[in-house]
Amino acid sequence: MDFTPLLLSLKIAGIATVIVLVLGVFLARIIARNHFPGKRILESVLMLPLVLPPTVVGFGLLLLFGKNGPIGGLLLSRFDFQIVFTWIGAVIAAVVVSFPLMYQSAAASFQNYDPNLENAALTMGASKWKVFWTISFPLARPGLIAGLVLTFARALGEFGATLMIAGYIPNRTETIPLAIYFSVESGNMDAALFWVISIVAVGFCAILWLNWWNGKNILRFSSDK
């Protein structure tokens, strides 16, 4: 059995999760604590991939990163670099479809504690960076970890958008969901079943750990009270 789809899926999901974590925390921290015209519209745009069919997201990415797209055309003409039909395209697809989960968790986390804690630290001379790492981040950490796990699981299972922008190229863009689909198409049900069991096991372990971690923190919070 060739384990390339598993290794490639873990690689793509891992990279996408790191990118989504940075972008999700950064944008949620800015947007959640501020009120400005068009805030609801901006949040709706950020959450849109959560409700759109993945193929629609993939089509949009193809328009942007294809050789005739504004970004893809620029990269191709200036750097002779193509994103479509590469594992990088799969990373971009995973980032876009999983971002709303991280953003939603991070925004809720930053809104669920008293902002006066931050304001008190700022009035005492602490920098915004120090306030974030010593107050904001620790208080929001439970929600951020939950978002992180869900983001990884969603990125690992991404199919539609990945197929649109990265295509199916064995050993190059063949993630587990794509391997399952094309194994079924070719009649190789044993391979499809193997990959189904593999991705279910990984997803189950991720959710099980998250539930265990949440339960542990609830018990700790109750004992502290």
Side-chain angles (χ1 to χ4, degrees), residues 8 20 25 37 42 77 79 85 87 113 224:
L8 185 61
V20 169
V25 170
L42 176 59
S77 61
F79 306 102
F85 301 126
W87 68 270
Y113 62 82
D224 289 342

Side-chain angles (χ1 to χ4, degrees), residues 123-205:
T123 57
M124 295 176 66
S127 65
K128 290 185 178 181
W129 186 252
K130 185 175 181 180
V131 169
F132 174 79
W133 282 112
T134 59
I135 298 177
S136 308
F137 187 80
L139 291 173
R141 184 169 55 189
L144 298 182
I145 292 178
L148 193 67
V149 173
L150 294 175
T151 295
F152 177 80
R154 180 64 185 89
L156 190 68
E158 165 51 32
F159 172 75
T162 300
L163 183 60
M164 292 287 289
I165 189 173
Y168 175 71
I169 305 176
N171 299 324
R172 288 182 57 190
T173 64
E174 186 184 15
T175 60
I176 292 180
L178 293 182
I180 293 171
Y181 179 80
F182 285 98
S183 292
V184 173
E185 284 287 297
S186 63
N188 191 349
M189 301 304 290
D190 290 339
L193 180 60
F194 174 81
W195 291 121
V196 166
I197 293 173
S198 298
I199 198 168
V200 168
V202 174
F204 177 78
C205 289

